[in-house]
Amino acid sequence: DTETTGLDYIDNDNIVGLSISLNTADKHYYFPFAHTTGEVQLDEWYIKGNIKKILENPKYKAVYHNAKFDLHMFKKWGIDATKSFHFCTQVGFKLLSENEPRYALKVLATKYGKNFGFDDKSSTFEELFGKDCLFSTVPLQYASVYAIKDTQLTLNFYKWIMTFYKKMPEFIDYWKNIEREILLVSLDMEENGMPVDKQAAREYAVALKEEVDALEAKLQDYFPDVNVNSPKQLSEYLFDTLELKD
């Protein structure tokens, strides 16, 4: 998990530390290098050089929550972490439960954590440190606990998700061949952008509006005195006036 100065992975924000949980060793670490607290920290280039050897090696399997953000930040930092990218618990869990109101790690851990060893409420960064606080200003004794908790929760959440995937092998295939590939394509699209012909878009918008207006005019023959853009008015006319059955 990357800890950063903010969410702008393209221009303004940067990594200030990394947290990692090791599966087989059951150990958890935070590597700070750009906090502004005046404390002794690790050397950024030493951390970068060593983590690069791991994340760019396909023999390792890296699991993230909201992987796309971290992959963006690593790429900005000069590391192609897609080579070891194995699973995103945020996207992977959506395949199991598509109607969650929110898919933030802390929210899901609070709701489902009792199933993977976390029977507690997990507070968000804003709840702990305030809305306008930068992670780089958080003292290391607190930043380390917060960061390590993220990767530990992600690892345990991943293991729990896999108990369902293993019972339904088609989910594993769908993740590997569809969702993972879509995530990587989205990553490239967001990094590179795409050319847009603004004049053609404006002309097309005019043509579409004319088409919509014509269709709405035709609809008035079937729905007199009804605003077809109003679900409430349509519902009343269809089910109360016309007495259609839903």
Side-chain angles (χ1 to χ4, degrees):
D1 185 37
T2 58
E3 298 299 346
T4 67
T5 56
L7 303 177
D8 185 355
Y9 53 81
I10 298 297
D11 295 316
N12 298 320
D13 293 309
N14 297 290
I15 300 173
V16 301
L18 305 174
S19 55
I20 185 171
S21 288
L22 306 176
N23 182 27
T24 54
D26 191 26
K27 292 185 178 181
H28 317 275
Y29 301 95
Y30 179 58
F31 305 113
F33 52 78
H35 283 253
T36 58
T37 56
E39 299 168 273
V40 176
Q41 297 172 69
L42 299 167
D43 179 78
E44 177 179 352
W45 300 107
Y46 178 79
I47 296 299
K48 180 179 178 180
N50 282 278
I51 202 71
K52 183 180 178 73
K53 296 175 184 177
I54 296 172
L55 295 181
E56 291 190 350
N57 189 335
K59 82 173 185 178
Y60 295 107
K61 294 182 178 180
V63 174
Y64 305 83
H65 191 85
N66 189 15
K68 191 146 61 71
F69 176 77
D70 295 295
L71 294 176
H72 273 307
M73 294 303 299
F74 279 129
K75 188 170 184 179
K76 182 178 181 180
W77 206 34
I79 296 176
D80 182 6
T82 62
K83 295 179 180 179
S84 60
F85 170 49
H86 175 63
F87 196 80
C88 174
T89 52
Q90 186 181 68
V91 177
F93 189 66
K94 288 180 180 180
L95 301 182
L96 296 176
S97 182
E98 63 184 16
N99 296 315
E100 298 292 333
R102 294 177 61 196
Y103 287 88
L105 178 61
K106 302 296 194 304
V107 174
L108 295 177
T110 298
K111 185 174 182 179
Y112 296 103
K114 60 182 178 295
N115 296 294
F116 50 88
F118 180 76
D119 194 4
D120 197 1
K121 179 185 183 299
S122 188
S123 300
T124 65
F125 181 82
E126 290 185 1
E127 290 171 337
L128 291 172
F129 303 110
K131 183 178 180 180
D132 298 322
C133 178
L134 294 177
F135 195 81
S136 57
T137 66
V138 177
L140 297 186
Q141 62 175 327
Y142 304 117
S144 298
V145 173
Y146 177 88
I148 288 171
K149 182 180 178 182
D150 273 358
T151 52
Q152 186 175 23
L153 284 175
T154 299
L155 178 59
N156 292 336
F157 189 31
Y158 164 72
K159 291 179 178 178
W160 183 60
I161 291 173
M162 284 299 106
T163 62
F164 297 98
Y165 273 45
K166 289 175 181 177
K167 296 176 183 178
M168 299 175 285
E170 65 273 18
F171 275 53
I172 297 176
D173 292 337
Y174 189 81
W175 161 257
K176 288 181 178 178
N177 299 316
I178 303 295
E179 291 296 343
R180 184 180 184 277
E181 294 305 308
I182 289 175
L183 190 150
L184 293 176
V185 169
S186 298
L187 185 77
D188 285 340
M189 290 173 64
E190 291 172 6
E191 288 282 349
N192 298 314
M194 62 182 180
V196 175
D197 187 333
K198 293 183 179 180
Q199 182 57 37
R202 284 190 286 267
E203 293 173 358
Y204 188 45
V206 172
L208 286 177
K209 186 177 186 309
E210 291 176 353
E211 185 177 345
V212 169
D213 290 344
L215 289 172
E216 288 185 350
K218 288 183 179 180
L219 284 173
Q220 289 303 317
D221 294 335
Y222 299 93
F223 303 103
D225 301 320
V226 174
N227 179 2
V228 295
N229 292 311
S230 169
K232 183 176 184 296
Q233 291 186 34
L234 274 177
S235 176
E236 290 174 350
Y237 185 74
L238 291 172
F239 301 117
D240 296 338
T241 303
L242 298 183
E243 298 183 344
L244 297 179
K245 295 182 179 180
D246 56 13

